[in-house]
Amino acid sequence: MTTSNKETLLLVDGMALMFRAFYASAASGYIRRTKAGLPTNAIYGFMRYFWDAVEKFSPSHVACCWDLGSKTFRTEQFAAYKGNRSEAPDDLIPQFAVILEVMDSLGIPNISAQGYEADDCIGTLASIYCQDMDVLVLTGDHDMLQLVNDCTSVIIMKKGHGNYMVYTPDSLMEEKQLLPRQIIDVKALMGDPSDNYPGVRGIGEKTAVKLVQEYHDVEGILANLEALSKGVRTKIETDLDMLHLSRQLATIKCDVELACQIDECRLELNHALIASKFEELEMKSICAWMGVAVV
């Protein structure tokens, strides 16, 4: 992780935390609810993940980024993008609106942009603020590793609470022998089943990584097609258009128009507001973790 005298901005992948929190608790078959019947298991789990990261990494500023819907510029480029995903569970859907209210009560901006994903909002904010601050990205999505640089670290949440892998350029190279931008080229070749784009059919992660390590990027691979085995060359030539499209789909946009002033992101808790919100949600225990007095 970056170490300096700069202030630190934590960018939270809200969608990743919500889905992780929901499924981690729903797996037991028990869904936490208020007396009125509102499901709150994802909100409760989200706060556990989120506040643990705040305590561990001590950011001075926080923003939380969200997807707005299924239609984005990527679905315009490739209609099947994320087309394999099922609808969110019924018990999760009402919790999305409530977690936005919870973030509001914490004074944390909820950031999104029509036609873009949370990843693009995170990439844009990281790009804007990392010149003057250390930026940390909290997510479970390895696609975000393309954002790693000297002032942006990506915190990948691993199984269990408080278990993280923090990626810097050095740790990324040590673990994967890849530069951050090469993450995009690997995805272009192998595709992404979770996002439902194929890359080059027949090329898996192992071959994709090997090709990128040897030839640096897609351009380097295409310039050296004659040096490749006939099987690999034929696969690439057959799916050349999809290779280029998959690369576009895999690339996080870092120039989205966003309204987010850094002063609005400073983490300054209004204890009365927080206590009121968590009392309404019947989650006073969260106030205890946060050191917020319940009146």
Side-chain angles (χ1 to χ4, degrees), residues 42 53 63 101 105 110-111 138 154 180 195 211 219 248 255 258 274 277 288:
E101 296 172 6
S105 77
N110 291 299
I111 309 296
L138 179 66
V154 172
D195 285 342
L211 288 169
E219 287 78 14
Q248 290 179 41
D255 57 357
L258 294 176
I274 296 166
K277 190 65 195 175

Short mmCIF file of all heavy atoms in Angstrom, two decimals, residues 42 53 63 101 105 110-111 138 154 180 195 211 219 248 255 258 274 277 288:
data_model
loop_
_atom_site.label_atom_id
_atom_site.label_comp_id
_atom_site.label_asym_id
_atom_site.label_seq_id
_atom_site.Cartn_x
_atom_site.Cartn_y
_atom_site.Cartn_z
N ALA A 42 -28.22 -7.60 3.97
CA ALA A 42 -27.15 -7.05 3.13
C ALA A 42 -26.63 -5.73 3.70
O ALA A 42 -25.43 -5.46 3.65
CB ALA A 42 -27.64 -6.85 1.70
N ALA A 53 -12.96 -2.02 7.00
CA ALA A 53 -11.97 -1.43 6.08
C ALA A 53 -11.61 -0.02 6.51
O ALA A 53 -10.44 0.39 6.46
CB ALA A 53 -12.50 -1.44 4.65
N ALA A 63 -15.80 7.81 -0.71
CA ALA A 63 -16.94 7.91 -1.63
C ALA A 63 -17.36 6.49 -1.99
O ALA A 63 -16.53 5.58 -2.03
CB ALA A 63 -16.59 8.69 -2.89
N GLU A 101 -29.39 5.51 1.73
CA GLU A 101 -29.77 6.37 2.87
C GLU A 101 -28.76 6.24 4.01
O GLU A 101 -28.42 7.23 4.67
CB GLU A 101 -31.17 5.99 3.37
CG GLU A 101 -32.28 6.23 2.38
CD GLU A 101 -33.60 5.66 2.86
OE1 GLU A 101 -33.66 5.18 4.02
OE2 GLU A 101 -34.58 5.67 2.07
N SER A 105 -26.46 9.11 5.72
CA SER A 105 -26.41 9.40 7.17
C SER A 105 -24.96 9.45 7.67
O SER A 105 -24.67 10.12 8.66
CB SER A 105 -27.21 8.36 7.96
OG SER A 105 -26.50 7.13 8.08
N ASN A 110 -22.83 9.15 -2.48
CA ASN A 110 -23.15 8.02 -3.34
C ASN A 110 -22.97 8.49 -4.78
O ASN A 110 -23.67 9.39 -5.24
CB ASN A 110 -24.60 7.56 -3.12
CG ASN A 110 -24.81 6.92 -1.78
OD1 ASN A 110 -24.19 5.90 -1.47
ND2 ASN A 110 -25.68 7.49 -0.95
N ILE A 111 -22.03 7.87 -5.51
CA ILE A 111 -21.66 8.33 -6.84
C ILE A 111 -22.09 7.32 -7.89
O ILE A 111 -21.84 6.12 -7.76
CB ILE A 111 -20.13 8.55 -6.94
CG1 ILE A 111 -19.62 9.42 -5.79
CG2 ILE A 111 -19.76 9.11 -8.30
CD1 ILE A 111 -20.17 10.82 -5.79
N LEU A 138 -11.75 -0.30 -2.65
CA LEU A 138 -12.22 -1.47 -1.91
C LEU A 138 -13.23 -2.23 -2.76
O LEU A 138 -14.29 -1.72 -3.10
CB LEU A 138 -12.88 -1.04 -0.59
CG LEU A 138 -13.44 -2.17 0.29
CD1 LEU A 138 -12.31 -3.06 0.82
CD2 LEU A 138 -14.26 -1.60 1.45
N VAL A 154 -5.36 -1.20 -4.94
CA VAL A 154 -6.65 -1.89 -4.98
C VAL A 154 -6.68 -2.94 -3.88
O VAL A 154 -5.80 -3.80 -3.79
CB VAL A 154 -6.90 -2.54 -6.36
CG1 VAL A 154 -8.15 -3.41 -6.33
CG2 VAL A 154 -7.03 -1.45 -7.43
N PRO A 180 -0.33 -3.40 -14.46
CA PRO A 180 -1.76 -3.14 -14.35
C PRO A 180 -2.48 -3.08 -15.69
O PRO A 180 -3.55 -3.68 -15.86
CB PRO A 180 -1.80 -1.78 -13.63
CG PRO A 180 -0.56 -1.77 -12.79
CD PRO A 180 0.47 -2.47 -13.61
N ASP A 195 -19.10 -11.44 -16.94
CA ASP A 195 -19.63 -10.30 -17.69
C ASP A 195 -20.18 -10.73 -19.06
O ASP A 195 -20.69 -9.90 -19.81
CB ASP A 195 -18.54 -9.23 -17.89
CG ASP A 195 -18.27 -8.45 -16.60
OD1 ASP A 195 -19.13 -8.48 -15.70
OD2 ASP A 195 -17.21 -7.81 -16.51
N LEU A 211 0.81 -15.30 -23.22
CA LEU A 211 0.94 -14.47 -24.41
C LEU A 211 1.24 -13.01 -24.06
O LEU A 211 2.10 -12.37 -24.67
CB LEU A 211 -0.33 -14.55 -25.25
CG LEU A 211 -0.59 -15.85 -26.00
CD1 LEU A 211 -2.01 -15.88 -26.57
CD2 LEU A 211 0.44 -16.04 -27.12
N GLU A 219 -1.35 -5.63 -29.26
CA GLU A 219 -0.62 -5.21 -30.46
C GLU A 219 0.63 -6.05 -30.67
O GLU A 219 0.94 -6.46 -31.80
CB GLU A 219 -0.24 -3.72 -30.37
CG GLU A 219 -1.39 -2.75 -30.54
CD GLU A 219 -2.26 -2.61 -29.30
OE1 GLU A 219 -1.83 -3.06 -28.21
OE2 GLU A 219 -3.37 -2.07 -29.42
N GLN A 248 -12.18 -3.53 -25.41
CA GLN A 248 -12.93 -2.31 -25.08
C GLN A 248 -13.84 -2.54 -23.88
O GLN A 248 -13.94 -1.69 -22.99
CB GLN A 248 -13.78 -1.88 -26.28
CG GLN A 248 -12.99 -1.34 -27.46
CD GLN A 248 -13.91 -0.98 -28.62
OE1 GLN A 248 -14.99 -0.41 -28.42
NE2 GLN A 248 -13.51 -1.32 -29.83
N ASP A 255 -12.75 8.71 -17.52
CA ASP A 255 -13.04 10.10 -17.90
C ASP A 255 -14.54 10.38 -17.93
O ASP A 255 -15.04 11.13 -18.77
CB ASP A 255 -12.42 10.41 -19.27
CG ASP A 255 -12.90 9.45 -20.37
OD1 ASP A 255 -13.67 8.53 -20.07
OD2 ASP A 255 -12.50 9.66 -21.53
N LEU A 258 -18.49 13.42 -13.71
CA LEU A 258 -19.05 13.17 -12.38
C LEU A 258 -19.08 14.47 -11.57
O LEU A 258 -18.17 15.29 -11.68
CB LEU A 258 -18.19 12.15 -11.62
CG LEU A 258 -18.14 10.72 -12.15
CD1 LEU A 258 -17.16 9.90 -11.33
CD2 LEU A 258 -19.52 10.08 -12.13
N ILE A 274 -26.39 9.29 12.55
CA ILE A 274 -26.09 7.86 12.40
C ILE A 274 -26.91 7.02 13.38
O ILE A 274 -27.51 6.01 13.02
CB ILE A 274 -24.59 7.60 12.60
CG1 ILE A 274 -23.79 8.30 11.51
CG2 ILE A 274 -24.28 6.11 12.61
CD1 ILE A 274 -22.30 8.38 11.79
N LYS A 277 -30.47 6.72 12.28
CA LYS A 277 -30.68 5.83 11.12
C LYS A 277 -30.61 4.36 11.53
O LYS A 277 -31.46 3.55 11.13
CB LYS A 277 -29.64 6.11 10.04
CG LYS A 277 -29.92 5.42 8.72
CD LYS A 277 -31.21 5.96 8.12
CE LYS A 277 -31.76 5.11 7.00
NZ LYS A 277 -33.07 5.60 6.54
N ALA A 288 -22.41 0.63 18.16
CA ALA A 288 -21.39 0.23 19.14
C ALA A 288 -20.06 -0.02 18.45
O ALA A 288 -19.01 0.42 18.93
CB ALA A 288 -21.85 -1.02 19.90
#
